Amino acid sequence: MDRYVVKNQTKLALGYTTGSCAAAASKAAAVALLCGEPVRQVQLMTPKGILLTLDVEDMTRTPEQVCCGVRKDAGDDPDITHGILVYAAVSPREKGIVIDGGTGVGRVTRPGLAQPVGTAAINPGPRQQIQQALEAVAQEYGYSGGFSVVISIPDGEKLAVRTMNPQLGIVGGLSVLGTSGIVEPMSEQALIDTIHVDIDARYAAGQRMLLLCPGNYGEDFVREVLGLDMSRGVKCSNFLGEALDYAVYRGFEGVLLIGHAGKLIKLAAGVFQTHSSYADGRQEIFAAHAALCGADQETVTQLMQAVTVDACLDILQRAGLDKPVLASISQKIQSHLQHRTAGKSGRAFEVEYMIFTNQYGVLMQTEQAADCIAARRKEEQG
């Protein structure tokens, strides 16, 4: 498709979702089923309002079924599903439209996801796209019956191990996704949506104190040092603010936040999107709090020139200021977290955290963090 966006001063091509592929393949198969002729190309209007013209790369026919394949194009988005074929096998039925998943489409095994347990992991957006496409075909050809549709992705099971599906309880393949029908390159919203799904799953499993971890260092620390099961927690990448907002909205009673200081120290400046391309400020945070705690100009200058959090801590230790500075930073972090999670309802929301580095271990934690971790460990051990 000849559509682009400009991000970071670069022109990037848009793509289309697996949901759009499934809907286009379904439409092509239904047309071929009703008209009896091969379909080489199909047009599909996406929910975003962009009209796609997609090639049908593969078509097979039996007396009662037509199966068509459409190839996924993710544009310039680094999507592992780029280039895969998505198939739709369509057959007639007496009435209604029934949509299911076949080979390479995952099955839902845990409550709290977009589809009920036992059903194919074809999200509501793609299901609606398929339904609307088939209804339009039926109307165009004066067909009063229904359709049975089976979506399959031959490479889906192999690719699924590289996604969050196994952790979410979606087994056997990929999810068919897409709300707008269009893929925007390096889409942050796609990551945020995945985090929301994971939080939904934890809530549906009965959790009310959410274990939240920003990155791989935190995940390793949770598993190897604290002995907790991170598969029962949520990795939120750099989108800490969005994860906290959604946890409050979803109805959790609180959050246990565990992460490396390289990311979480930024909370002291109210930075809740922790990717360095948005904001850093780690040296500035240490320098400002060191100055508040009586550091001289030389120490402040050294902190501003330090490259890592551990380097800042080395400087503070030599100056004998590590404990008061960390206490000052911790107080500011608590203030920003409490403000972010206050909620419009006024409902109390507990935020406990533990912040560490690989070199220094635990740097700071809330008063109840250790008790919260112990309670969670006891719960996991049965």
Side-chain angles (χ1 to χ4, degrees):
M1 61 182 296
D2 190 24
R3 295 269 188 150
Y4 299 86
V5 293
V6 176
K7 291 190 175 183
N8 298 325
Q9 304 176 15
T10 304
K11 185 180 179 182
L12 299 172
L14 300 181
Y16 42 87
T17 62
T18 47
S20 289
C21 293
S26 298
K27 181 177 181 179
V31 170
L33 186 72
L34 296 181
C35 76
E37 298 293 332
V39 177
R40 303 301 181 192
Q41 203 172 62
V42 65
Q43 287 192 322
L44 181 78
M45 179 59 73
T46 63
K48 195 175 181 68
I50 294 175
L51 181 65
L52 300 175
T53 301
L54 304 179
D55 293 332
V56 179
E57 294 198 16
D58 192 12
M59 190 182 85
T60 58
R61 179 190 295 275
T62 68
E64 291 298 324
Q65 177 181 280
V66 174
C67 183
C68 290
V70 171
R71 193 172 297 278
K72 166 74 177 287
D73 182 353
D76 285 323
D77 192 62
D79 188 335
I80 65 166
T81 63
H82 177 73
I84 65 170
L85 274 170
V86 179
Y87 286 88
V90 177
S91 55
R93 66 191 313 267
E94 187 174 341
K95 60 180 180 179
I97 296 173
V98 176
I99 303 168
D100 201 0
T103 301
V105 174
R107 288 272 159 187
V108 178
T109 65
R110 294 180 189 168
L113 299 177
Q115 295 299 311
V117 171
T119 60
I122 304 172
N123 272 18
R127 285 179 183 271
Q128 187 174 14
Q129 279 187 276
I130 295 167
Q131 176 110 10
Q132 290 175 346
L134 293 181
E135 288 173 350
V137 170
Q139 184 175 6
E140 180 181 353
Y141 286 88
Y143 174 65
S144 59
F147 295 103
S148 175
V149 186
V150 177
I151 305 299
S152 60
I153 304 173
D155 293 328
E157 187 167 6
K158 178 177 66 177
L159 290 172
V161 299
R162 295 164 57 189
T163 72
M164 291 184 67
N165 276 12
Q167 182 180 342
L168 295 175
I170 299 172
V171 301
L174 295 167
S175 300
V176 179
L177 303 172
T179 53
S180 69
I182 297 298
V183 174
E184 291 196 19
M186 296 181 287
S187 170
E188 292 184 355
Q189 191 58 49
L191 289 172
I192 294 168
D193 288 346
T194 301
I195 293 165
H196 288 179
V197 169
D198 209 357
I199 292 173
D200 285 339
R202 303 283 80 77
Y203 189 87
Q207 293 186 24
R208 293 301 178 265
M209 189 71 177
L210 179 67
L211 173 59
L212 199 59
C213 189
N216 292 329
Y217 286 143
E219 181 181 24
D220 292 343
F221 187 85
V222 165
R223 182 181 61 254
E224 297 170 9
V225 178
L226 301 180
L228 298 179
D229 182 3
M230 192 56 211
S231 69
R232 300 179 64 185
V234 172
K235 284 180 67 175
C236 62
S237 183
N238 293 298
F239 304 101
L240 182 55
E242 285 80 2
L244 289 168
D245 292 345
Y246 196 73
V248 174
Y249 160 78
R250 196 66 181 83
F252 282 86
E253 295 171 4
V255 162
L256 172 60
L257 174 62
I258 300 174
H260 192 277
K263 286 187 181 294
L264 295 190
I265 208 75
K266 299 176 186 181
L267 294 175
V271 175
F272 284 86
Q273 214 297 9
T274 58
H275 196 282
S276 58
S277 65
Y278 281 81
D280 193 344
R282 291 170 296 173
Q283 292 88 343
E284 289 84 353
I285 290 167
F286 277 110
H289 285 270
L292 289 172
C293 294
D296 58 25
Q297 184 175 347
E298 182 182 354
T299 300
V300 171
T301 300
Q302 289 175 356
L303 289 168
M304 287 297 295
Q305 294 173 347
V307 177
T308 66
V309 169
D310 284 331
C312 288
L313 292 169
D314 291 344
I315 294 165
L316 291 171
Q317 264 199 353
R318 290 196 297 269
L321 290 171
D322 51 319
K323 290 183 179 179
V325 169
L326 290 175
S328 180
I329 291 173
S330 185
Q331 186 177 25
K332 198 65 177 176
I333 288 173
Q334 288 186 56
S335 175
H336 282 297
L337 284 170
Q338 288 168 1
H339 178 74
R340 182 80 185 222
T341 60
K344 296 179 180 179
S345 66
R347 175 174 58 86
F349 189 87
E350 181 183 0
V351 182
E352 307 296 341
Y353 62 78
M354 178 176 285
I355 301 173
F356 69 93
T357 74
N358 295 340
Q359 179 178 330
Y360 281 93
V362 177
L363 297 181
M364 57 191 92
Q365 59 182 322
T366 51
E367 290 184 4
Q368 301 302 317
D371 290 341
C372 190
I373 291 167
R376 191 175 187 94
R377 188 182 296 117
K378 183 177 180 181
E379 177 186 328
E380 290 178 4
Q381 292 171 350

